Amino acid sequence: MKKAFYLLFAFSVSSATAQQAATKANTNYPAPVNFTAEQDHQHMMRQLGIKALRPGPSGDEKSPNAANYDEAKANPYPNLPELLTLKNGKKVTTPGQWWNQRRPEIVEEFEREIFGRIPKNVPKVTWKTLVSEREMVGWIPVNAKQLVGQVDNSQYPLLEVNINMTVVTPANAKGPVPVLMMFGRSALPAPAQPPKESLEKINAAMKKLLVEADPSLKAVFEQYPAYTPIAPQGPPPIGPPPAGDPPPTHQLLAAGWGYVLIEPGSIQADNGAGLTKGIIGLVNKGQPRNPEDWGALRAWAWGASRGLDYLETDPMVDAKRVGIEGVSRFGKAALVAQAFDQRFAVGLIGSSGEGGAKLHRRNFGEAVESLTSSYEYHWMAGNFLKYGASEATFGSKTANDLPVDAHQLIALCAPRPTFISYGIPEQGDAKWLDQQGSYMATVAAGPAFKLLGARDLGVGHDYKIAKMPGVNVSLLDGELAWRQHDGGHTDAPNFKFFIPWADKMLKMNTEPASSKR
């Protein structure tokens, strides 16, 4: 007993000493600023000299500030920034001009004014495998790995960033497979269970501990002797699958693909209060952003790129055929990831709306002012707030003052296959997202795909008169693709169209796709 006491005392002393040493070391670093989202928003407005912002439109159609859904009023700024014209007025007519001159111009303006810049001193990420095991997804055997990407915090130990990611590949593949990276919760699909004998030991030990903690449970266990705290998992159900499409992950595996789940919240929080934490806060040593610093969309995209760094080392993954996917705010992030990182070979961009595939200059549903409000501004660079300003030291600005628009963001993905996906308002993919405005942007991006030898939607390039095809009508003949399914706020109904389209575009029956650039 004394020995245990002395061991506990020694451990307590050593822990306290270590904590004191850590506290002393951390006095060399500024403490993280703990702003609320509103405080951070106001701080950025002061930096920019903004006194007032226009309110974002309301989703309530009875509100005095209700969002516009009248197509006659939807295009107050019909002329989009030129896609294939240099800032000096010279036309872009060759791929070389695009890669060496025009594309860098567009990237610069998106970084400075829209999404923000990735700092030059962003720390490295070291990937570690936490779990690696054989699992079953339905009837398909898979290799599943749960990983953590530990971000080097030696320059600011007060914050930690650990990126959560899961990689699942078909176990019976004869070689490396294409994979689709999806923004979502990182979790193993079917964690392996202990054998029956081991599970019985675990349950016996758990019952003993529970009775020690609460003796009244002894009578409960005696009354129900067959009960076990941890129930064994049963075998997969026998018989035909339930009606409807299988889950997207099952469809990918059945088609010979793997998939990756990367957790956005482990990279950067989805709120303004988190901007002094996460990867943005770590690089800024816990201090608020400057106007050109990156927002959450760019941070999530950066995290996806670091996940791709790992996939390039995984022998089961065809690193030249890694795609990126997301829906809603993560559809925005997927489009940003594909636009800025040319290693992503294909993209499925689901219901991305304002800040994604929707034209900023459209007045329909969600608007620029929605993303400059204190609720969603954290997705964007601080500079983006200027375009919602009604009163500022520089006057006022509107969406028409933006130097770039969504068609150019889509064009940055060219010539890589890019599938723009939406559902229908009747099923929950709200009018707020402006499906028509996203279709117009996709049409307007076409000339960049054509210039680089890829195929566009095949409907011409006059975005001003472009009308969406009917629901469930596929425009999938080219590297630039569009489909509006008859479901809601999801891209799941389009997976059965996306997978064969991606197989075709990535030439799955040939050698791995080479880099376009």
PDB file of all heavy atoms in Angstrom, residues 344-356:
ATOM      1  N   PHE A 344      -5.473  16.966 -57.814  1.00  0.00           N
ATOM      2  CA  PHE A 344      -6.790  16.327 -57.770  1.00  0.00           C
ATOM      3  C   PHE A 344      -7.261  16.105 -59.200  1.00  0.00           C
ATOM      4  O   PHE A 344      -7.437  17.049 -59.967  1.00  0.00           O
ATOM      5  CB  PHE A 344      -7.781  17.183 -56.991  1.00  0.00           C
ATOM      6  CG  PHE A 344      -7.592  17.116 -55.508  1.00  0.00           C
ATOM      7  CD1 PHE A 344      -7.106  18.205 -54.805  1.00  0.00           C
ATOM      8  CD2 PHE A 344      -7.876  15.944 -54.799  1.00  0.00           C
ATOM      9  CE1 PHE A 344      -6.911  18.144 -53.436  1.00  0.00           C
ATOM     10  CE2 PHE A 344      -7.685  15.869 -53.429  1.00  0.00           C
ATOM     11  CZ  PHE A 344      -7.196  16.970 -52.740  1.00  0.00           C
ATOM     12  N   ALA A 345      -7.475  14.839 -59.554  1.00  0.00           N
ATOM     13  CA  ALA A 345      -7.712  14.467 -60.948  1.00  0.00           C
ATOM     14  C   ALA A 345      -9.143  14.682 -61.393  1.00  0.00           C
ATOM     15  O   ALA A 345      -9.409  14.799 -62.592  1.00  0.00           O
ATOM     16  CB  ALA A 345      -7.327  12.999 -61.162  1.00  0.00           C
ATOM     17  N   VAL A 346     -10.084  14.734 -60.449  1.00  0.00           N
ATOM     18  CA  VAL A 346     -11.496  14.830 -60.808  1.00  0.00           C
ATOM     19  C   VAL A 346     -12.247  15.398 -59.603  1.00  0.00           C
ATOM     20  O   VAL A 346     -11.807  15.226 -58.458  1.00  0.00           O
ATOM     21  CB  VAL A 346     -12.060  13.441 -61.206  1.00  0.00           C
ATOM     22  CG1 VAL A 346     -11.968  12.454 -60.057  1.00  0.00           C
ATOM     23  CG2 VAL A 346     -13.491  13.533 -61.724  1.00  0.00           C
ATOM     24  N   GLY A 347     -13.361  16.107 -59.865  1.00  0.00           N
ATOM     25  CA  GLY A 347     -14.141  16.668 -58.775  1.00  0.00           C
ATOM     26  C   GLY A 347     -15.623  16.419 -58.940  1.00  0.00           C
ATOM     27  O   GLY A 347     -16.152  16.458 -60.051  1.00  0.00           O
ATOM     28  N   LEU A 348     -16.293  16.136 -57.822  1.00  0.00           N
ATOM     29  CA  LEU A 348     -17.757  16.065 -57.769  1.00  0.00           C
ATOM     30  C   LEU A 348     -18.206  17.142 -56.804  1.00  0.00           C
ATOM     31  O   LEU A 348     -18.011  17.032 -55.589  1.00  0.00           O
ATOM     32  CB  LEU A 348     -18.215  14.682 -57.302  1.00  0.00           C
ATOM     33  CG  LEU A 348     -19.727  14.503 -57.092  1.00  0.00           C
ATOM     34  CD1 LEU A 348     -20.508  14.820 -58.361  1.00  0.00           C
ATOM     35  CD2 LEU A 348     -20.046  13.087 -56.607  1.00  0.00           C
ATOM     36  N   ILE A 349     -18.779  18.212 -57.356  1.00  0.00           N
ATOM     37  CA  ILE A 349     -19.084  19.413 -56.588  1.00  0.00           C
ATOM     38  C   ILE A 349     -20.595  19.472 -56.362  1.00  0.00           C
ATOM     39  O   ILE A 349     -21.363  19.759 -57.278  1.00  0.00           O
ATOM     40  CB  ILE A 349     -18.598  20.677 -57.329  1.00  0.00           C
ATOM     41  CG1 ILE A 349     -17.163  20.487 -57.855  1.00  0.00           C
ATOM     42  CG2 ILE A 349     -18.734  21.893 -56.441  1.00  0.00           C
ATOM     43  CD1 ILE A 349     -16.144  20.138 -56.786  1.00  0.00           C
ATOM     44  N   GLY A 350     -21.025  19.191 -55.129  1.00  0.00           N
ATOM     45  CA  GLY A 350     -22.443  19.043 -54.845  1.00  0.00           C
ATOM     46  C   GLY A 350     -23.066  20.264 -54.182  1.00  0.00           C
ATOM     47  O   GLY A 350     -22.600  20.709 -53.130  1.00  0.00           O
ATOM     48  N   SER A 351     -24.110  20.816 -54.812  1.00  0.00           N
ATOM     49  CA  SER A 351     -24.969  21.847 -54.217  1.00  0.00           C
ATOM     50  C   SER A 351     -24.167  22.918 -53.482  1.00  0.00           C
ATOM     51  O   SER A 351     -24.414  23.221 -52.319  1.00  0.00           O
ATOM     52  CB  SER A 351     -25.970  21.192 -53.245  1.00  0.00           C
ATOM     53  OG  SER A 351     -26.765  20.240 -53.923  1.00  0.00           O
ATOM     54  N   SER A 352     -23.208  23.524 -54.183  1.00  0.00           N
ATOM     55  CA  SER A 352     -22.222  24.388 -53.523  1.00  0.00           C
ATOM     56  C   SER A 352     -22.672  25.828 -53.334  1.00  0.00           C
ATOM     57  O   SER A 352     -22.188  26.513 -52.440  1.00  0.00           O
ATOM     58  CB  SER A 352     -20.904  24.353 -54.292  1.00  0.00           C
ATOM     59  OG  SER A 352     -21.088  24.764 -55.636  1.00  0.00           O
ATOM     60  N   GLY A 353     -23.579  26.341 -54.181  1.00  0.00           N
ATOM     61  CA  GLY A 353     -24.148  27.664 -53.961  1.00  0.00           C
ATOM     62  C   GLY A 353     -23.140  28.799 -53.934  1.00  0.00           C
ATOM     63  O   GLY A 353     -22.055  28.715 -54.519  1.00  0.00           O
ATOM     64  N   GLU A 354     -23.488  29.882 -53.229  1.00  0.00           N
ATOM     65  CA  GLU A 354     -22.659  31.088 -53.132  1.00  0.00           C
ATOM     66  C   GLU A 354     -21.305  30.761 -52.500  1.00  0.00           C
ATOM     67  O   GLU A 354     -21.234  30.076 -51.481  1.00  0.00           O
ATOM     68  CB  GLU A 354     -23.384  32.142 -52.295  1.00  0.00           C
ATOM     69  CG  GLU A 354     -22.605  33.405 -52.038  1.00  0.00           C
ATOM     70  CD  GLU A 354     -22.383  34.238 -53.279  1.00  0.00           C
ATOM     71  OE1 GLU A 354     -23.203  34.151 -54.218  1.00  0.00           O
ATOM     72  OE2 GLU A 354     -21.386  34.979 -53.309  1.00  0.00           O
ATOM     73  N   GLY A 355     -20.242  31.230 -53.117  1.00  0.00           N
ATOM     74  CA  GLY A 355     -18.904  30.889 -52.672  1.00  0.00           C
ATOM     75  C   GLY A 355     -18.388  29.626 -53.327  1.00  0.00           C
ATOM     76  O   GLY A 355     -17.216  29.264 -53.173  1.00  0.00           O
ATOM     77  N   GLY A 356     -19.273  28.929 -54.075  1.00  0.00           N
ATOM     78  CA  GLY A 356     -18.894  27.740 -54.817  1.00  0.00           C
ATOM     79  C   GLY A 356     -19.123  27.971 -56.293  1.00  0.00           C
ATOM     80  O   GLY A 356     -18.512  28.849 -56.903  1.00  0.00           O
TER      81      GLY A 356
END
